[in-house]
Amino acid sequence: MVSPGLPSLPPKRPDIRGDVLHADLCIIGAGSGGLSVAAGAVQMGASVVLIEKAEMGGDCLNTGCVPSKALIAAAHMAHAHRIGGSFGIHGAEPDVRFPEVHEHVHGVIGAIAPHDSVERFEGLGVMVIRAAGRFVDRQTVEAGGQRIKARRFVVATGSRAAVPPIKGLAEAGYLTNETIFDLRERPQHLIVVGGGPIGIEMAQAFRRLGSEVTVIEKFGILAKDEPEAVEVVRASSQNEGVRLVEKVGVSEVRRADGAVTVTLEGESAYGPAISGSHILIAAGRRPNIENLGLDAAGIAFTPGGITVDARLITSNRKVFAIGDVAGGPQFTHIAGYHAGIVIRNALFGLPARVDYKALPWVTYSDPELAHAGLTEAEARKAGHKVEVLGWTFASNDRAQAERATEGLAKVILGPKGRILGATIVGPRAGELIGTWGLAISAGLKIGAIASAVLPYPTLSEISKRAAGSYYTPKLFGAFTRRLVGFVQRFLP
């Protein structure tokens, strides 16, 4: 988004010629990516049409990042009540009033919504059309009965929850991220199908808010992350009472007498079936490519999303696709990053290209799990000569003071100390990973982190300590001792 107070050109308005609206830029989708393009482009003097058929702010504001983190914050407060005894602060089990938790979550959405509202964007000079948009030919979009021609188009329609074809699921009824935040009563037993970031975050949050929770994952939880880091999250979740049923599929779902029963496909310590009150589907995402008229516009696509090149240009050279619908990494911050790439290409003709070498992501479990760059497995697969560094939060004084010592930092290096990737699992890991993302993006070597002066005591010292471990064998080896001995002979 555009920061307040920045100077901008007077808004240039789209104009009507005959019965067709003409603009410099037409954007389909007012999620985080589409809004970022619209705000940036209009303040640089472009005329912009923004089309949105549902809620402004898209998935992130209404059914994704914002409500999930608000729910996680409420769960954290409940958990803090329970563990206060270790600090000498004793109290009763928290009284979780779920309708008030619902109010908190939607209050946070309401506080942020004005920033993404129609009123704000129309005030910036964007023409907003609240309707479904679709291409009618290679250079025309129709929305709400209005045809729009533009110099460039941006498809930013995002994604939705992928629902696997499980027998009986539709008849039994289920929740996704689009509906779970509408619950006003706490689930008695929430069954989560899918052990990726969304599934694990929601499982731990609802467990802390008092629900019984079971996660069913066909493979292993958080499969894209470093195994050592995943094990920390796995142990923490299980210690809090989340049941993790891994390497087991789901063959059927049935609902009877107010309960939902999931029949398992594979061996499980919990038996052949699990019954609960609610079922949440968190088994991945599916790009929103339907009913966009992509064929009419000559835009190539697959079930995984719209096909784009490194500049995010589709097979129709006048059309860009960004965010989840472009089939790449599905993160809100990637949609914002894509927006910057599009603005440079569409408005300035610069050959800006995407570069994911420092891509960060965070799973907002407790402890948090954050990563940037390559994992160890990815680095080895790419043929790098790999060196692995590490440090633990148990050796961090601030973590000890806060009794948050679970976790570690793992750093992947290439030749000559070049930083390839880093993972942190521990308290506020999402806030700490930015250092490593910047280092990878800037091509820094490990010495830049090891030589940094950081305030004491802070959690950020774990990065410095991990980096410093690169030099430990070199500084305290036999050669160094001989060198110091030699130099001492000549010192006064």
Side-chain angles (χ1 to χ4, degrees):
M1 294 302 176
V2 177
S3 300
L6 288 178
S8 61
L9 297 172
K12 179 183 175 183
R13 307 288 180 176
D15 63 287
I16 291 281
R17 301 175 204 165
D19 59 352
V20 177
L21 187 63
H22 289 260
D24 293 319
L25 202 60
C26 176
I27 305 161
I28 306 176
S32 56
L35 292 178
S36 294
V37 174
V42 76
Q43 292 199 114
M44 291 178 182
S47 57
V48 179
V49 174
L50 177 63
I51 300 168
E52 176 54 62
K53 67 179 181 179
E55 296 294 327
M56 296 286 287
D59 178 84
C60 181
L61 172 63
N62 298 287
T63 60
C65 315
V66 171
S68 67
K69 302 316 167 281
L71 186 78
I72 288 169
H76 175 78
M77 294 302 294
H79 184 64
H81 275 271
R82 296 188 183 99
I83 66 171
S86 60
F87 296 87
I89 311 299
H90 298 271
E93 176 72 11
D95 176 16
V96 178
R97 302 178 183 181
F98 204 79
E100 295 180 23
V101 173
H102 175 274
E103 290 178 12
H104 154 69
V105 169
H106 287 268
V108 173
I109 295 172
I112 298 173
H115 187 74
D116 294 348
S117 66
V118 172
E119 292 76 15
R120 175 176 181 260
F121 277 81
E122 287 182 338
L124 290 173
V126 176
M127 176 176 285
V128 181
I129 299 176
R130 301 300 302 276
R134 65 179 182 89
F135 287 92
V136 295
D137 58 41
R138 294 182 63 89
Q139 51 190 350
T140 311
V141 162
E142 184 178 67
Q146 176 66 63
R147 292 203 167 198
I148 305 108
K149 289 185 178 292
R151 294 178 183 275
R152 297 289 184 272
F153 296 88
V154 179
V155 181
T157 49
S159 65
R160 63 189 185 279
V163 181
I166 299 172
K167 180 181 178 181
L169 180 61
E171 293 77 9
Y174 57 89
L175 299 165
T176 68
N177 69 292
E178 294 178 2
T179 54
I180 194 166
F181 302 111
D182 292 330
L183 292 178
R184 295 178 180 272
E185 294 184 4
R186 177 176 58 201
Q188 181 181 351
H189 182 181
L190 179 66
I191 298 174
V192 181
V193 177
I198 295 173
I200 293 301
E201 289 175 5
M202 291 297 95
Q204 190 179 48
F206 275 93
R207 179 61 188 147
R208 288 180 165 190
L209 292 169
S211 298
E212 186 179 353
V213 178
T214 301
V215 177
I216 303 171
E217 167 54 49
K218 189 173 183 178
F219 302 103
I221 67 167
L222 304 176
K224 294 183 179 180
D225 285 288
E226 295 280 13
E228 305 96 317
V230 173
E231 188 53 44
V232 175
V233 176
R234 177 183 287 112
S236 176
S237 299
Q238 291 176 323
N239 289 341
E240 292 185 22
V242 176
R243 294 195 295 183
L244 298 178
V245 184
E246 299 181 74
K247 299 182 180 178
V248 172
V250 175
S251 61
E252 186 177 3
V253 177
R254 291 179 289 108
R255 183 176 291 278
D257 301 324
V260 59
T261 300
V262 174
T263 302
L264 302 179
E265 197 173 60
E267 295 186 9
S268 162
Y270 301 101
I274 295 174
S275 293
S277 59
H278 298 71
I279 183 168
L280 168 66
I281 301 299
R285 308 283 298 171
R286 177 172 297 167
N288 293 323
I289 55 176
E290 297 82 5
N291 303 314
L292 291 174
L294 299 179
D295 289 329
I299 298 172
F301 63 94
T302 70
I306 294 175
T307 304
V308 296
D309 63 14
R311 295 174 64 185
L312 301 173
I313 301 173
T314 71
S315 53
N316 180 334
R317 307 304 292 175
K318 289 184 175 293
V319 181
F320 296 83
I322 66 172
D324 289 6
V325 78
Q330 294 181 331
F331 304 108
T332 295
H333 49 283
I334 289 297
Y337 169 61
H338 283 178
I341 298 290
V342 166
I343 288 173
R344 279 176 277 171
N345 276 287
L347 299 188
F348 298 103
L350 300 174
R353 300 172 184 271
V354 295
D355 182 357
Y356 297 133
K357 70 180 179 183
L359 170 65
W361 69 75
V362 183
T363 297
Y364 295 90
S365 51
D366 186 5
E368 291 181 355
L369 197 167
H371 176 82
L374 299 178
T375 63
E376 180 181 356
E378 289 170 338
R380 294 190 187 282
K381 185 177 180 180
H384 293 289
K385 184 179 179 181
V386 170
E387 184 170 353
V388 180
L389 308 178
W391 204 260
T392 67
F393 276 99
S395 301
N396 179 276
D397 292 356
R398 180 63 177 272
Q400 285 287 352
E402 296 186 358
R403 293 191 177 275
T405 56
E406 297 176 279
L408 53 89
K410 178 179 179 180
V411 182
I412 309 303
L413 301 182
K416 299 182 180 180
R418 185 164 64 93
I419 304 168
L420 301 177
T423 290
I424 301 176
V425 57
R428 294 184 284 286
E431 308 294 340
L432 302 176
I433 200 65
T435 295
W436 295 102
L438 176 61
I440 296 167
S441 180
L444 300 181
K445 293 185 177 181
I446 196 66
I449 307 297
S451 62
V453 180
L454 301 176
Y456 172 88
T458 59
L459 297 170
S460 62
E461 287 183 293
I462 193 171
S463 294
K464 179 180 173 68
R465 298 301 180 190
S469 69
Y470 175 75
Y471 297 99
T472 300
K474 301 173 179 61
L475 291 177
F476 300 101
F479 173 78
T480 302
R481 289 196 295 271
R482 290 196 300 270
L483 178 62
V484 171
F486 176 77
V487 171
Q488 289 293 316
R489 292 164 51 190
F490 297 96
L491 292 177

